[in-house]
């Protein structure tokens, strides 16, 4: 969908995936769904420019939103993609957001802006660290704590450490998403 004003045929929770360009959103979606090539991957960041929706069984949808912060896009294109992300959060009350952060990268100004956007919209958010296969296991804990501290985010539980390449953490992230959907479903039926 080129704009955020889409309506899906079946009313199911939407789990949106957000993150910096080149964080590995498409690869992670392919790993989560166990369907190679479902979400298009590219060596060139910034290829996702629309809201791509994938049905996950009969229970919920994954929504692949454009990455943010890709410097080689024209300023007008970066602004348009940022508006699309904000419009999606304004229009849809997603069942939750999976915010992908590259474990090897310090938070960028765009990451800080995304944090503020998620807080402003009171969206239930799972933080998933990507590309952990590129970091020695002994270094991961300190790197995660450093990133969370820079973002000013308190850890609510064990972090989701993932690698689309090795498959590490994919099952745990899938389970965390299932719990998020169940929790959000209970809140909606009692509200």
């Amino acid at each position: 969908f080129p704009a955020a004003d889409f309506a899906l045929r079946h009313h199911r929770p939407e789990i949106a995936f957000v993150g910096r360009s080149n964080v590995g959103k498409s690869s992670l979606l392919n790993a989560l769904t166990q369907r190679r090539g479902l979400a298009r991957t590219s060596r060139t960041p910034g290829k996702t420019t629309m809201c791509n929706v994938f049905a996950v069984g009969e229970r919920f949808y994954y929504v692949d939103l454009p990455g943010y912060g890709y410097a080689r896009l024209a300023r007008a294109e970066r602004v348009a993609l940022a508006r699309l992300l904000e419009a999606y959060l304004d229009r849809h009350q997603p069942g939750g957001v999976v915010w992908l952060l590259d474990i090897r990268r310090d938070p960028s100004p765009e990451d800080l802006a995304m944090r503020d956007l998620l807080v402003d919209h009171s969206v239930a958010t799972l933080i998933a660290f990507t590309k952990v296969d590129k970091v020695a296991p002994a270094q991961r804990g300190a790197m995660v704590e450093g990133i969370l501290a820079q973002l000013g985010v308190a850890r609510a539980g064990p972090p989701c450490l993932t690698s689309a390449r090795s498959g590490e953490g994919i099952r745990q992230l899938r389970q965390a998403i299932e719990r998020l959907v169940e929790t959000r479903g209970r809140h909606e039926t009692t509200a």
Side-chain angles (χ1 to χ4, degrees):
F1 299 96
D5 60 354
F6 62 88
L8 300 172
R9 186 174 357 152
H10 302 289
H11 181 70
R12 298 177 186 147
E14 296 174 17
I15 303 299
F17 286 75
V18 299
R20 187 188 305 188
S21 289
N22 205 25
V23 76
K25 278 190 291 96
S26 297
S27 296
L28 188 69
L29 281 164
N30 290 338
L32 281 168
T33 59
Q34 298 176 326
R35 294 199 44 206
R36 189 179 213 149
L38 178 68
R40 286 187 169 167
T41 60
S42 170
R43 290 197 182 279
T44 307
K47 291 296 184 183
T48 302
T49 58
M50 299 185 199
C51 302
N52 297 305
V53 180
F54 306 98
V56 181
E58 300 287 321
R59 298 202 43 232
F60 53 92
Y61 297 103
Y62 286 156
V63 181
D64 182 12
L65 296 173
Y68 54 81
Y70 184 52
R72 290 193 184 160
L73 288 177
R75 185 180 188 309
E77 290 174 296
R78 287 195 314 268
V79 168
L81 292 178
R83 285 189 182 138
L84 178 62
L85 286 169
E86 189 161 1
Y88 175 83
L89 293 174
D90 284 343
R91 187 163 194 304
H92 296 267
Q93 190 48 261
V97 167
V98 179
W99 184 17
L100 306 181
L101 298 167
D102 187 329
I103 195 169
R104 305 165 304 161
R105 308 276 180 248
D106 285 335
S108 67
E110 292 85 5
D111 288 321
L112 297 172
M114 178 54 65
R115 176 208 56 203
D116 294 345
L117 189 62
L118 294 171
V119 168
D120 289 347
H121 286 82
S122 301
V123 179
T125 304
L126 291 172
I127 295 177
F129 291 91
T130 62
K131 304 183 183 186
V132 299
D133 58 304
K134 299 178 186 283
V135 174
Q139 297 175 322
R140 294 175 185 175
M143 293 175 90
V144 165
E145 294 302 327
I147 291 168
L148 293 177
Q150 290 177 63
L151 287 170
V153 175
R155 190 160 60 154
C160 291
L161 303 177
T162 67
S163 168
R165 177 173 288 173
S166 70
E168 183 177 349
I170 299 301
R171 182 175 53 82
Q172 292 86 350
L173 179 57
R174 198 178 295 124
Q175 291 169 343
I177 292 168
E178 290 277 345
R179 286 191 301 272
L180 179 63
V181 170
E182 288 172 15
T183 302
R184 300 296 291 174
R186 282 196 298 268
H187 288 323
E188 287 174 10
T189 54
T190 58

